[in-house]
Amino acid sequence: MAGDPRLPSSSPDDGLEARLASVRSSIADAARLAGRSPDELTLVVVTKYHPAALVRELAALGVTDVGENRHQEAQAKAAELADLGLTWHFVGQLQSKKARQARRYAHVVQSLDRESVVDAFAPTEAEPAPPVIDGFVQVNLTDDPGRGGVQPDAVEAMAERVLATGTIRLRGVMAVAPLDEEPRAAFARLRAISSRVVSLDPGATDISAGMSGDHAEAILEGATHLRIGTAITGNRPVAP
């Protein structure tokens, strides 16, 4: 029986392999320009609103790290695709009341930006020895306090709070380049902030920066993790 033509997501994406190859080539070119090895970089493919079937196709093409923005969607996909052994990165705004649920599937939370979220990962009487996850402090590189992330002058305090939990392995910092600023300049500021975090924890050297339109600039400024969605997955489906 033929598939429902209204559900194109159930069919393999013929362009997926080509788009992934193009992005990998772009990453390699930018790494060489920066005098770095592409092996230093972790590609996190963000699959927001895309079906689990597309993630399975990505895994077949060698993708190992997947990013999600929404807790319920991430939870469902991770459960459905548990056989693939993927590393799941939560990259969106996380509610503190959902944090303990998120660590059941997320190996990395890249959006630690509030004390309440960080504290939610700490041991409790009911769960005295929770699993340790990796975490990034999200930095707000804009002047808009409504944007996700902590202000640059509060990064050390947030990093210290992460380290105090004992259940989050601090990996480094994460940020999104402001729309009204040249990306490389923004990423240079993030790199300077990263060095301050490293002074608190020498192991927290990672920088998650760069998306579909600005990953080359991020690589030039030391990014170690690239969060790339539409350049690989194609346009997102309409939100469910």
Side-chain angles (χ1 to χ4, degrees):
M1 182 176 177
D4 188 333
R6 295 170 298 175
L7 300 175
S9 62
S10 64
S11 301
D13 183 341
D14 293 336
L16 185 64
E17 184 172 7
R19 292 193 301 270
L20 178 60
S22 177
V23 168
R24 283 173 166 163
S25 177
S26 176
I27 289 170
D29 288 345
R32 282 190 289 269
L33 186 61
R36 303 174 63 192
S37 168
D39 295 338
E40 299 174 20
L41 304 170
T42 298
L43 170 60
V44 181
V45 181
V46 180
T47 59
K48 180 179 180 179
Y49 299 151
H50 286 282
L54 182 132
V55 181
R56 193 171 288 279
E57 289 181 59
L58 288 167
L61 294 170
V63 169
T64 58
D65 292 73
V66 177
E68 288 291 336
N69 298 65
R70 300 164 73 244
H71 166 63
Q72 284 187 304
E73 182 180 352
Q75 183 174 243
K77 285 183 189 175
E80 183 174 344
L81 302 171
D83 60 300
L84 298 179
L86 297 168
T87 297
W88 292 90
H89 297 247
F90 193 86
V91 299
Q93 294 297 110
L94 183 62
Q95 297 177 3
S96 55
K97 64 183 180 181
K98 300 292 186 181
R100 292 190 179 90
Q101 296 177 42
R103 72 174 166 213
R104 295 173 189 166
Y105 62 83
H107 305 92
V108 188
V109 174
Q110 293 204 17
S111 49
L112 299 173
D113 66 347
R114 301 186 309 286
E115 292 180 353
S116 60
V117 172
V118 172
D119 293 348
F121 288 102
T124 63
E125 185 175 337
E127 195 174 14
V132 175
I133 64 164
D134 288 346
F136 289 72
V137 172
Q138 182 176 355
V139 183
N140 183 355
L141 296 177
T142 77
D143 294 326
D144 180 0
R147 293 289 297 270
V150 300
Q151 290 297 317
D153 61 0
V155 168
E156 283 92 343
M158 186 63 68
E160 288 174 344
R161 202 171 188 98
V162 171
L163 293 169
T165 67
T167 56
I168 303 175
R169 184 184 300 106
L170 182 60
R171 293 287 299 275
V173 294
M174 181 271 261
V176 177
L179 294 175
D180 59 353
E181 182 178 0
E182 197 281 317
R184 187 167 181 184
F187 295 142
R189 290 193 287 121
L190 182 63
R191 188 175 198 169
I193 293 168
S194 169
S195 68
R196 288 159 37 198
V197 172
V198 171
S199 70
L200 295 174
D201 180 358
T205 57
D206 289 337
I207 300 174
S208 178
M211 300 190 294
S212 290
D214 56 19
H215 60 273
E217 291 89 341
I219 291 168
L220 290 170
E221 291 300 333
T224 60
H225 290 65
L226 311 167
R227 308 180 311 276
I228 299 180
T230 55
I232 295 172
T233 62
N235 291 332
R236 290 188 182 120
V238 177

